[in-house]
């Protein structure tokens, strides 16, 4: 179900894309539109645009397509009459769930539940999953502080006008370079690009530094360990400082690999230590797997590489799981109904697709494939950075969740655009990285196809 290679007819965006951008520009902001796509013709690892250009996709809709385009297992699901009512009728899941909902959740999301978690709350996207996870942490923290879960009369009256004690002065510790969404609460924990935050009010919550590792890791083990220790000490100091400010940290939120911030990695020891700091200070520990989850690091969850039985109190997800949501420990479940709530609370049709995606991952051993392709990709990137030391550096990655730094932003942009005109879709992250986010069906064959094209582009610079 894949094409045998890229095939370009025009520069991208082509004439039809440009025409459609003008049309859409009459309706909404089109500044971020790259080009228009033909999702009927797109297949497997190949994205076809409206001008008939066929490109090998290593960005996959901001890392949200698990099995590539139009996978037969998902198409087949649409033909099944039993699934029709699930796709046509969207229920308000919080109050009127379909009869098969528990079974479908067991089949899909609970079959890949993180270690130590048996509960999951579905949502629509990454931001609303994180927003509700934050609220769950605040509710948990206040009930712990009170010693019971009955707000006082003063709590109930003051919260109606956004004042304490009903609206408590609690905080969430996040990390510089982190990205957790663009809604108000998530945005207060997002620190990747100023354009995401400028002009929007925020909250006085603590922000700790995330380790800036030197590569290759084996050459800088001592410096990197010192850098991680510095960041951990700073994080713990912030927790103490915010408690003294009367704004205690209810939860810590972190990505296993900071993606938007520039594919910043840290060691399993770093995360183990941070998890222990959270326990020591009575904070919940929220692992944001929206971009790293779903198999792209070679394990279904990136936090599995930490080798911990108790990796977190909350794990949020979206993108490759086709629906948003968060797993959580029992004690993080809101104590009353209608506290973590909205109209849809997820989408059962997406759970149907996810069950199929998980079946394909298992039957085609895609996690092993990702590990194999990832090794070939990272070795190829190591070779290219040796060949073009003036342009490339800091090749890094886990599974196919890889990245490489370019000497400056302008050169990065030029490389991404040239690669696209040669039939490869790439994305950037941070201030100078190119990130690789292929689908789970990206084989070694595709790696070598990509590396050849990437080499041609670099040779022109
Ligand atoms: C680690 C992590 N956490 C939360 C989010 C927010 O998810 P959405 O709200 O975009 O579904 C994301 C979304 N990723 C993302 C990539 S570019 C982008 C954007 O809004 O520009 C967002 C994420 O990577």
């Amino acid at each position: 179900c894949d094409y045998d290679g890229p095939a370009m007819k025009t520069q991208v965006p082509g004439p039809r894309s440009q025409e459609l951008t003008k049309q859409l520009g009459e309706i909404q902001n089109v500044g971020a539109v790259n080009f228009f796509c033909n999702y009927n013709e797109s297949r497997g690892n190949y994205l076809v645009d409206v001008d008939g250009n066929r490109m090998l996709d290593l960005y996959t809709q901001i890392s949200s397509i698990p099995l590539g385009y139009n996978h037969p297992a998902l198409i087949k699901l649409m033909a099944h009459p039993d699934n029709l009512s699930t796709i046509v009728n969207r229920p308000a899941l919080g109050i009127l769930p379909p009869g098969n909902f528990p079974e479908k959740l067991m089949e899909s999301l609970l079959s890949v539940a993180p270690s130590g978690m048996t509960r999951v709350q579905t949502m629509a996207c990454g931001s609303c999953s994180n927003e509700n996870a934050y609220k769950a942490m605040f509710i948990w923290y206040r009930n712990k502080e009170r010693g019971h879960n009955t707000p006082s009369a003063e709590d109930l009256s003051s919260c109606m006008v956004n004042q304490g004690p009903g609206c408590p002065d609690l905080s969430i510790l996040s990390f510089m370079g982190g990205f957790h969404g663009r809604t108000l609460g998530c945005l207060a924990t997002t620190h990747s690009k100023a354009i995401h935050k400028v002009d929007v009010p925020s909250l006085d919550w603590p922000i700790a530094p995330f380790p800036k590792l030197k590569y290759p890791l084996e050459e800088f083990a001592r410096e990197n360990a010192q850098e991680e220790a510095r960041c951990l000490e700073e994080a713990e100091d912030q927790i103490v400082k915010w408690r003294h400010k009367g704004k205690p940290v209810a939860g810590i939120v972190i990505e296993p690999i900071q993606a938007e911030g520039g594919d910043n990695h840290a060691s399993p020891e770093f995360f183990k230590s941070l998890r222990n700091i959270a326990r020591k200070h009575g904070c919940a520990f929220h692992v944001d797997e929206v971009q790293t989850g779903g198999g792209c690091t070679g394990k279904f969850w990136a936090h599995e590489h930490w080798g911990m039985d108790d990796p977190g109190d909350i794990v949020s997800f979206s993108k490759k799981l086709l629906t948003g949501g968060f797993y959580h420990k029992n004690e993080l479940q809101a104590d009353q109904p209608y506290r973590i709530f909205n109209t849809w609370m997820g989408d059962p049709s997406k759970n149907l697709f996810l069950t199929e995606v998980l079946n394909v991952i298992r039957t085609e051993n895609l996690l092993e494939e990702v590990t194999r392709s990832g090794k070939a990709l990272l070795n190829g990137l190591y070779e290219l950075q040796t060949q073009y030391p003036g342009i490339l550096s800091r090749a890094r990655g886990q599974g196919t969740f890889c990245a490489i730094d370019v000497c400056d932003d302008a050169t990065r942009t030029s490389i991404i655009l040239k690669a696209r005109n040669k039939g490869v879709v790439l994305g950037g992250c941070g201030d100078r990285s190119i990130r690789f986010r292929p689908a789970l069906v990206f084989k070694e064959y595709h790696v070598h196809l990509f590396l050849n094209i990437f080499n041609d582009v670099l040779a022109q610079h």
Side-chain angles (χ1 to χ4, degrees):
C1 61
D2 222 350
Y3 292 110
D4 55 9
M8 303 304 285
K9 292 182 177 164
T10 73
Q11 293 283 306
V12 180
R16 181 74 182 124
S17 259
Q18 292 170 37
E19 206 180 289
L20 287 164
T21 301
K22 237 185 253 120
Q23 274 179 39
L24 187 60
E26 299 300 315
I27 303 165
Q28 52 189 241
N29 182 316
V30 289
V33 172
N34 295 194
F35 53 87
F36 281 73
C37 301
N38 180 336
Y39 288 109
N40 288 335
E41 297 303 316
S42 298
R43 212 173 301 160
N45 291 283
Y46 290 89
L47 178 58
V48 178
D49 75 5
V50 291
D51 290 284
N53 297 305
R54 191 168 79 204
M55 295 164 266
L56 183 60
D57 189 356
L58 281 91
Y59 196 46
T60 59
Q61 310 295 327
I62 321 183
S63 191
S64 65
I65 304 277
L67 302 180
Y69 299 96
N70 288 312
H71 193 284
L74 302 186
I75 301 257
K76 189 185 72 196
L77 180 146
M78 293 296 286
H80 204 296
D82 294 356
N83 295 331
L84 225 50
S85 67
T86 302
I87 293 162
V88 170
N89 307 296
R90 188 167 187 183
L93 284 168
I95 52 173
L96 298 165
N100 64 2
F101 193 46
E103 170 211 338
K104 290 300 176 189
L105 279 180
M106 297 297 282
E107 254 175 45
S108 59
L109 286 164
L110 285 170
S111 75
V112 286
S115 164
M117 296 183 192
T118 56
R119 306 184 88 84
V120 67
Q121 177 54 63
T122 49
M123 288 287 163
C125 67
S127 299
C128 72
S129 302
N130 288 341
E131 285 290 337
N132 283 287
Y134 294 1
K135 285 173 58 180
M137 292 193 283
F138 291 135
I139 292 167
W140 163 79
Y141 194 89
R142 279 298 291 133
N143 284 332
K144 190 164 57 109
E145 260 186 341
R146 266 191 211 99
H148 56 81
N149 62 359
T150 311
S152 68
E154 190 192 5
D155 287 337
L156 298 174
S157 58
S158 56
C159 74
M160 291 306 285
V161 288
N162 301 354
Q163 300 305 311
C167 290
D169 231 346
L170 298 177
S171 62
I172 287 179
L173 170 69
S174 56
F175 287 80
M176 192 48 74
F179 185 101
H180 301 290
R182 295 162 171 266
T183 44
L184 279 177
C186 291
L187 199 55
T189 60
T190 288
H191 319 283
S192 47
K193 285 198 175 83
I195 191 63
H196 300 161
K197 293 173 73 74
V198 68
D199 298 341
V200 179
S202 193
L203 297 153
D204 177 21
W205 290 357
I207 306 158
F210 192 91
K212 188 84 182 151
L213 302 185
K214 289 196 173 107
Y215 289 83
L217 295 176
E218 48 284 353
E219 262 181 56
F220 296 98
R222 194 171 46 79
E223 292 87 335
N224 289 337
Q226 283 169 343
E227 166 67 354
E228 291 190 345
R230 175 185 76 87
C231 295
L232 287 165
E233 195 179 332
E234 182 64 30
E236 188 160 14
D237 288 351
Q238 303 257 18
I239 292 171
V240 173
K241 188 175 166 195
W242 254 255
R243 174 180 297 284
H244 293 152
K245 283 170 82 169
K247 302 180 176 183
V249 173
I252 297 174
V253 65
I254 195 161
E255 298 157 84
I257 303 169
Q258 285 191 327
E260 291 321 301
D263 273 30
N264 307 318
H265 294 246
S267 71
E269 290 65 39
F270 173 82
F271 292 100
K272 283 178 188 153
S273 303
L274 190 65
R275 174 95 182 91
N276 289 331
I277 288 171
R279 274 197 201 91
K280 175 181 168 187
H281 292 276
C283 315
F285 193 64
H286 171 181
V287 185
D288 180 347
E289 290 253 24
V290 166
Q291 187 156 167
T292 50
C296 41
T297 68
K299 291 190 181 293
F300 195 80
W301 300 108
H303 70 254
E304 292 179 69
H305 292 282
W306 305 343
M308 292 167 73
D309 295 337
D310 179 16
D313 299 305
I314 288 183
V315 171
S316 56
F317 58 87
S318 191
K319 289 183 189 276
K320 282 195 178 63
L321 276 81
L322 306 179
T323 176
F326 59 98
Y327 296 91
H328 58 83
K329 290 288 195 58
N330 295 355
E331 56 271 25
L332 267 293
Q333 174 151 310
D335 49 3
Q336 293 170 50
Y338 293 103
R339 301 195 78 183
I340 301 294
F341 191 86
N342 55 50
T343 305
W344 285 326
M345 303 287 273
D347 179 346
S349 70
K350 299 300 182 190
N351 295 342
L352 284 183
F353 286 114
L354 177 59
T355 299
E356 278 312 310
V357 166
L358 296 175
N359 287 340
V360 172
I361 289 175
R362 290 180 185 116
T363 53
E364 295 185 14
N365 291 317
L366 291 187
L367 297 186
E368 291 72 14
E369 290 276 4
V370 165
T371 303
R372 225 187 333 274
S373 302
K375 276 200 181 75
L377 176 60
L378 196 52
N379 287 334
L381 293 173
Y382 286 143
E383 280 169 28
L384 288 172
Q385 80 180 5
T386 305
Q387 214 174 328
Y388 302 99
I391 304 176
L392 300 177
S393 64
R394 297 180 80 236
R396 56 198 184 276
Q398 207 159 38
T400 53
F401 199 103
C402 293
I404 196 160
D405 283 5
V406 182
C407 48
D408 57 59
D409 181 30
T411 307
R412 176 192 44 188
T413 303
S414 157
I415 287 173
I416 289 176
L417 293 179
K418 284 199 170 73
R420 192 169 69 185
N421 282 329
K422 284 180 178 289
V424 165
V425 179
L426 295 173
C429 65
D431 58 6
R432 66 182 58 216
S433 305
I434 294 177
R435 61 170 134 175
F436 303 98
R437 298 289 189 272
L440 304 177
V441 292
F442 192 73
K443 312 278 188 218
E444 282 189 74
Y445 160 78
H446 300 105
V447 171
H448 296 299
L449 233 174
F450 157 68
L451 290 170
N452 290 336
I453 293 173
F454 199 42
N455 184 47
D456 290 352
V457 171
L458 294 163
Q460 280 171 6
H461 266 79

